[in-house]
Amino acid sequence: MEQFANLLIIYERNESGDYEYRGIAFAVIKGDYFEVTSTTVELTEEDFFNSAIIGITEDDDYEIEKDAKYAFISHNINQIVDLQIELNMDTNFMIDLIIDWYVDTVLYKRGDGYYSKISYDDYFKNTSMPPKALREKNKNSKTKEKLDVKKVISDMKKKFVAQEEVVESIVSNIYINQMLVDSGDKDLISTSKSAILLDGPTGTGKTAILKEVANKLDLPIVIAKSSDYSASGYVGDSLGDILSGLLEQAEGNLKLAERGIVCMDELDKLASERSNELKMKRAVQHDLLAFIGGSKYNVKKGMSNIEFDTTNLTFIGMGAFTTLSDKKKEVPKSFGLIQTQTNTKPEEKSYEIKDQDYVDYGLERELVGRLTLKTHTNAYSVEDFKRILLESEISPLKMFIKTLKTLGVDNITYDDDFIEEVSKKAYESGFGARGLQAIFLDIRNNLSMNLIDNNLNELHLSKEMFEKVKQKSLRKY
């Protein structure tokens, strides 16, 4: 049976019998059956079972055979990619264009039983439906009763193995921030809302954790590089551009954007020691103080400017602080190196970074003080890499097996020696979880011709097989 990857535009049936845009989903369609791989709308299996998949037509005439609660307009991903190649555009941009074509629309049932896609504005001129903003608020608001934060934390820990403590810290503090905003108590918000400094080695999941928690809590998020921004009077992007991006993520909903998450990545690069950059980077740090504390900015929305208040934002500064970490690791025990046990392995040693260390590194004292919660991801040990491979829901090993099964390799096995060797190699690479991903891409690359020829029915991943892959990767001279 042929399989097709599809972009599904989700519409929900309203009390008038028409369908309003709700979100998108990606699915694999197999005949009359489809398996949803990801979706922006929380739907049950029954919702999907009772839905209607409708095709696209040149004249926007849609036929829905049953009065389903949900209707999905299906776009074949291969066709989108073909169009992207033809127009020389990025695939994600093409998908965004298609989504934009349906946002703020209604499938209106005509007298002949077919549906036409019309704008909300035109629709509301002829109906007594309440304004979209009111309906969306009722549909999408996640109250304390609806959101199970413990489940969010539990689910994320299954993905981000060996980073359980930071997951718990990040999720709980962002959630508490949202509850403080809901209280409407300005004094409580200004004194108790957390601004976060998240540091840790590259490849330990900092960015992925923040994106996941934003998705779980249904919050817009913008992650920007600190080095791309400048203070007033200097060349570069402004902090107001971040707010524009946040407003875009919130689909123009200002109230939602104003309680979103702003993450400034590579915060450690604002502590430049080069004299020609130091003045400008200190100026950016001073601008961040007002940004974190709560200020009002003029932000473009369409052709007009609107006022954006940053008081309710959750601000997160993020960076690897590699030089600082390396320095702390070199300090003798009597100067702050804390050894958890006398017979511990080198990678299991720990150290402490204090507020003054960030100041000595080059961050402004006021900025370090304003980032009230300091938390971090940990470097991975060999044992951690093993756990990631075997336990994580997004393990590179599990994704590799899933990929190969999609390509027709049904029987895939591995042994303990293979797991051990891959974990050691990832540890030696120094790239964190990205090192694991690179290893499995190398393995897949070595199998690529067999996969293309479809003559690989089974595969055993062993230490010997991995050694051959490593040998093929060596450069010759």
Side-chain angles (χ1 to χ4, degrees):
M1 180 183 295
E2 286 190 291
Q3 300 183 18
F4 300 95
N6 281 257
L7 167 69
L8 303 178
I9 309 296
I10 304 174
Y11 280 81
E12 182 178 7
R13 190 169 185 262
N14 63 30
E15 53 262 47
S16 297
D18 304 311
Y19 289 83
E20 300 177 54
Y21 173 86
R22 291 291 288 114
I24 65 166
F26 286 93
V28 177
I29 296 183
K30 310 171 185 178
D32 294 328
Y33 169 78
F34 63 93
E35 177 184 351
V36 175
T37 57
S38 62
T39 176
T40 62
V41 183
E42 295 182 2
L43 303 177
T44 66
E45 282 190 28
E46 185 178 359
D47 290 332
F48 283 115
F49 182 78
N50 294 324
S51 65
I53 299 180
I54 54 182
I56 56 173
T57 59
E58 292 182 359
D59 51 3
D60 278 340
D61 287 338
Y62 300 92
E63 182 179 6
I64 303 177
E65 296 179 356
K66 55 183 178 179
D67 291 330
K69 183 178 180 181
Y70 294 94
F72 303 137
I73 298 178
S74 174
H75 288 266
N76 187 282
I77 295 295
N78 289 334
Q79 294 173 347
I80 295 175
V81 173
D82 290 342
L83 184 60
Q84 166 258 324
I85 295 172
E86 182 179 336
L87 298 178
N88 193 27
M89 291 182 177
D90 180 77
T91 305
N92 290 332
F93 181 70
M94 289 299 306
I95 291 175
D96 287 341
L97 284 179
I98 291 172
I99 294 171
D100 286 343
W101 182 248
Y102 294 97
V103 173
D104 290 338
T105 60
V106 174
L107 301 183
Y108 177 70
K109 191 172 185 178
R110 307 194 310 247
D112 59 3
Y114 286 84
Y115 290 79
S116 292
K117 180 171 70 68
I118 63 174
S119 70
Y120 273 112
D121 289 341
D122 290 338
Y123 183 63
F124 293 136
K125 288 176 184 176
N126 302 296
T127 68
S128 59
M129 292 289 291
K132 177 193 173 190
L134 179 61
R135 299 197 315 282
E136 290 302 309
K137 180 180 179 182
N138 292 334
K139 287 179 184 175
N140 294 332
S141 60
K142 291 193 174 182
T143 64
K144 286 179 264 188
E145 291 74 28
K146 288 182 181 178
L147 183 63
D148 187 343
V149 184
K150 287 186 177 179
K151 186 177 186 305
V152 169
I153 293 172
S154 175
D155 289 345
M156 287 184 61
K157 285 180 177 179
K158 294 174 184 176
K159 288 186 176 182
F160 302 102
V161 170
Q163 301 296 353
E164 290 86 355
E165 288 185 7
V166 71
V167 164
E168 192 170 312
S169 177
I170 292 291
V171 175
S172 59
N173 277 278
I174 292 178
Y175 176 73
I176 290 171
N177 281 358
Q178 297 304 308
M179 295 302 99
L180 293 173
V181 171
D182 284 342
S183 75
D185 188 325
K186 294 182 179 180
D187 290 336
L188 192 61
I189 294 170
S190 64
T191 58
S192 302
K193 183 169 66 70
S194 299
I196 302 169
L197 176 56
L198 172 62
D199 74 47
T202 184
T204 50
K206 297 187 296 293
T207 300
I209 288 170
L210 294 182
K211 288 182 177 179
E212 182 75 5
V213 69
N215 179 59
K216 292 286 189 182
L217 300 187
D218 201 20
L219 294 170
I221 183 172
V222 168
I223 300 176
K225 291 184 178 180
S226 302
S227 53
D228 290 341
Y229 292 85
S230 65
S232 300
Y234 293 88
V235 176
D237 296 333
S238 70
L239 295 177
D241 294 324
I242 295 176
L243 302 181
S244 295
L246 203 58
L247 190 61
E248 184 178 341
Q249 289 291 320
E251 298 183 346
N253 185 333
L254 179 62
K255 292 298 182 185
L256 179 59
E258 286 182 328
R259 63 187 298 156
I261 303 170
V262 168
C263 174
M264 292 295 282
D265 196 5
E266 299 181 352
L267 196 69
D268 45 340
K269 292 187 178 180
L270 290 182
S272 174
E273 296 179 354
R274 289 181 287 183
S275 58
N276 63 324
E277 294 182 355
L278 191 56
K279 184 177 178 181
M280 183 269 286
K281 293 191 174 183
R282 281 181 174 169
V284 174
Q285 292 189 53
H286 281 289
D287 280 0
L288 286 177
L289 288 172
F291 193 88
I292 298 169
S295 296
K296 294 179 180 179
Y297 294 80
N298 285 323
V299 175
K300 280 192 175 182
K301 182 182 180 182
M303 300 300 292
S304 59
N305 287 333
I306 61 171
E307 188 176 74
F308 193 115
D309 189 346
T310 66
T311 301
N312 294 333
L313 289 177
T314 292
F315 181 88
I316 301 173
M318 188 166 69
F321 291 90
T322 305
T323 306
L324 175 58
S325 298
D326 290 344
K327 183 179 179 181
K328 297 295 276 187
K329 292 173 187 175
E330 294 171 0
V331 177
K333 182 178 179 181
S334 59
F335 284 87
L337 188 63
I338 303 169
Q339 208 157 350
T340 54
Q341 52 186 14
T342 54
N343 62 344
T344 184
K345 297 178 182 179
E347 65 265 28
E348 293 175 342
K349 292 178 181 178
S350 58
Y351 57 92
E352 181 181 12
I353 295 180
K354 299 179 180 180
D355 286 4
Q356 185 60 43
D357 294 320
Y358 293 114
V359 176
D360 294 340
Y361 188 80
L363 293 183
E364 293 293 301
R365 183 176 298 276
E366 293 83 359
L367 180 60
V368 174
R370 191 64 62 87
L371 297 170
T372 50
L373 174 69
K374 314 295 191 302
T375 188
H376 62 274
T377 54
N378 288 309
Y380 294 123
S381 67
V382 173
E383 291 303 313
D384 289 332
F385 282 118
K386 290 182 186 178
R387 287 190 59 211
I388 291 170
L389 289 174
L390 299 174
E391 299 175 22
S392 171
E393 290 185 347
I394 52 175
S395 155
L397 172 62
K398 293 178 181 178
M399 295 301 105
F400 174 81
I401 292 173
K402 188 175 182 179
T403 299
L404 262 61
K405 286 189 174 182
T406 301
L407 297 172
V409 186
D410 296 323
N411 186 19
I412 305 166
T413 57
Y414 55 86
D415 54 41
D416 292 341
D417 288 343
F418 172 78
I419 298 297
E420 179 76 24
E421 287 302 307
V422 168
S423 300
K424 286 180 179 178
K425 179 67 175 177
Y427 177 73
E428 291 167 1
S429 76
F431 287 105
R434 295 191 188 105
L436 286 177
Q437 294 168 342
I439 287 170
F440 282 96
L441 283 175
D442 273 347
I443 296 173
R444 195 182 76 186
N445 182 55
N446 277 269
L447 299 171
S448 57
M449 291 309 299
N450 288 322
L451 294 172
I452 291 172
D453 292 338
N454 200 27
N455 61 4
L456 188 65
N457 297 319
E458 61 181 12
L459 175 68
H460 179 66
L461 300 171
S462 65
K463 177 180 178 180
E464 292 73 23
M465 178 262 203
F466 183 48
E467 289 296 333
K468 290 179 182 178
V469 171
K470 288 194 291 184
Q471 286 298 318
K472 286 185 178 181
S473 300
L474 295 176
R475 296 174 183 262
K476 296 179 174 60
Y477 63 95

